[in-house]
Amino acid sequence: METMGERVRKHRTRLGYSIADLAAIVGVTEGAIRAIETGAVAAPSFFLGLRFADTFGVDPYDLAYGESGPLSEQVTLLRRRVDAIEKRLP
Protein backbone atom coordinates (compact mmCIF):
# COMPACT_ATOMS: atom_id res chain seq x y z
CA MET A 1 0.00 0.00 0.00
CA GLU A 2 1.30 3.44 -0.93
CA THR A 3 2.16 5.76 1.96
CA MET A 4 1.19 9.42 2.18
CA GLY A 5 4.85 10.33 1.72
CA GLU A 6 4.95 8.33 -1.50
CA ARG A 7 1.80 10.09 -2.71
CA VAL A 8 3.32 13.49 -1.88
CA ARG A 9 6.46 12.58 -3.87
CA LYS A 10 4.36 11.27 -6.77
CA HIS A 11 2.33 14.49 -7.03
CA ARG A 12 5.38 16.70 -6.51
CA THR A 13 7.27 15.02 -9.35
CA ARG A 14 4.14 14.93 -11.55
CA LEU A 15 4.00 18.71 -11.29
CA GLY A 16 7.75 19.08 -11.83
CA TYR A 17 8.41 20.62 -8.41
CA SER A 18 11.72 20.16 -6.65
CA ILE A 19 11.71 19.59 -2.91
CA ALA A 20 12.74 23.24 -2.50
CA ASP A 21 9.87 24.39 -4.74
CA LEU A 22 7.25 22.46 -2.79
CA ALA A 23 8.67 23.56 0.56
CA ALA A 24 8.43 27.21 -0.49
CA ILE A 25 4.89 26.81 -1.84
CA VAL A 26 3.46 25.14 1.28
CA GLY A 27 5.59 27.06 3.78
CA VAL A 28 7.79 24.41 5.38
CA THR A 29 11.47 23.51 5.26
CA GLU A 30 13.03 21.22 2.67
CA GLY A 31 13.87 18.91 5.55
CA ALA A 32 10.19 18.64 6.43
CA ILE A 33 9.33 17.62 2.86
CA ARG A 34 12.14 15.03 2.87
CA ALA A 35 10.95 13.66 6.23
CA ILE A 36 7.40 13.29 4.91
CA GLU A 37 8.45 11.69 1.63
CA THR A 38 10.81 9.20 3.30
CA GLY A 39 8.30 8.23 5.97
CA ALA A 40 10.24 9.69 8.89
CA VAL A 41 7.04 11.66 9.50
CA ALA A 42 4.11 9.30 8.92
CA ALA A 43 1.53 12.02 8.44
CA PRO A 44 1.92 15.79 8.35
CA SER A 45 -0.38 18.12 10.25
CA PHE A 46 -3.96 18.49 9.09
CA PHE A 47 -3.32 21.98 7.76
CA LEU A 48 -0.17 20.98 5.89
CA GLY A 49 -2.11 18.10 4.36
CA LEU A 50 -4.71 20.60 3.13
CA ARG A 51 -1.96 22.80 1.67
CA PHE A 52 -0.50 19.79 -0.15
CA ALA A 53 -3.91 18.81 -1.52
CA ASP A 54 -4.59 22.36 -2.70
CA THR A 55 -1.15 22.65 -4.31
CA PHE A 56 -1.53 19.29 -6.05
CA GLY A 57 -5.17 19.83 -7.02
CA VAL A 58 -6.31 16.60 -5.40
CA ASP A 59 -8.93 15.55 -2.86
CA PRO A 60 -7.38 15.75 0.64
CA TYR A 61 -8.93 12.40 1.54
CA ASP A 62 -7.29 10.82 -1.50
CA LEU A 63 -3.93 12.32 -0.57
CA ALA A 64 -4.20 11.05 2.99
CA TYR A 65 -5.63 7.58 2.33
CA GLY A 66 -4.92 6.86 -1.32
CA GLU A 67 -8.54 6.45 -2.34
CA SER A 68 -11.49 8.59 -3.13
CA GLY A 69 -13.29 9.39 0.05
CA PRO A 70 -16.75 10.26 1.22
CA LEU A 71 -16.63 13.71 -0.39
CA SER A 72 -16.14 12.18 -3.84
CA GLU A 73 -18.95 9.73 -3.19
CA GLN A 74 -21.27 12.53 -2.09
CA VAL A 75 -20.51 14.56 -5.20
CA THR A 76 -21.22 11.54 -7.40
CA LEU A 77 -24.53 10.86 -5.65
CA LEU A 78 -25.51 14.53 -5.86
CA ARG A 79 -24.71 14.61 -9.59
CA ARG A 80 -26.91 11.53 -10.15
CA ARG A 81 -29.79 13.16 -8.28
CA VAL A 82 -29.46 16.39 -10.25
CA ASP A 83 -29.39 14.41 -13.51
CA ALA A 84 -32.54 12.52 -12.48
CA ILE A 85 -34.34 15.76 -11.60
CA GLU A 86 -33.29 17.40 -14.86
CA LYS A 87 -34.69 14.45 -16.84
CA ARG A 88 -38.11 15.03 -15.25
CA LEU A 89 -38.22 18.71 -16.18
CA PRO A 90 -40.14 19.73 -19.32
Side-chain angles (χ1 to χ4, degrees), residues 1-59:
M1 183 172 171
E2 189 178 54
T3 67
M4 182 168 183
E6 291 167 334
R7 287 186 292 278
V8 168
R9 180 180 295 132
K10 175 181 68 176
H11 289 297
R12 177 181 61 77
T13 57
R14 173 181 59 85
L15 293 172
Y17 293 144
S18 68
I19 289 174
D21 293 334
L22 182 58
I25 292 167
V26 299
V28 297
T29 65
E30 293 177 37
I33 300 296
R34 284 188 191 92
I36 291 164
E37 288 188 354
T38 62
V41 172
S45 73
F46 176 77
F47 293 106
L48 182 54
L50 290 178
R51 282 186 255 157
F52 280 141
D54 183 54
T55 300
F56 299 148
V58 299
D59 180 344

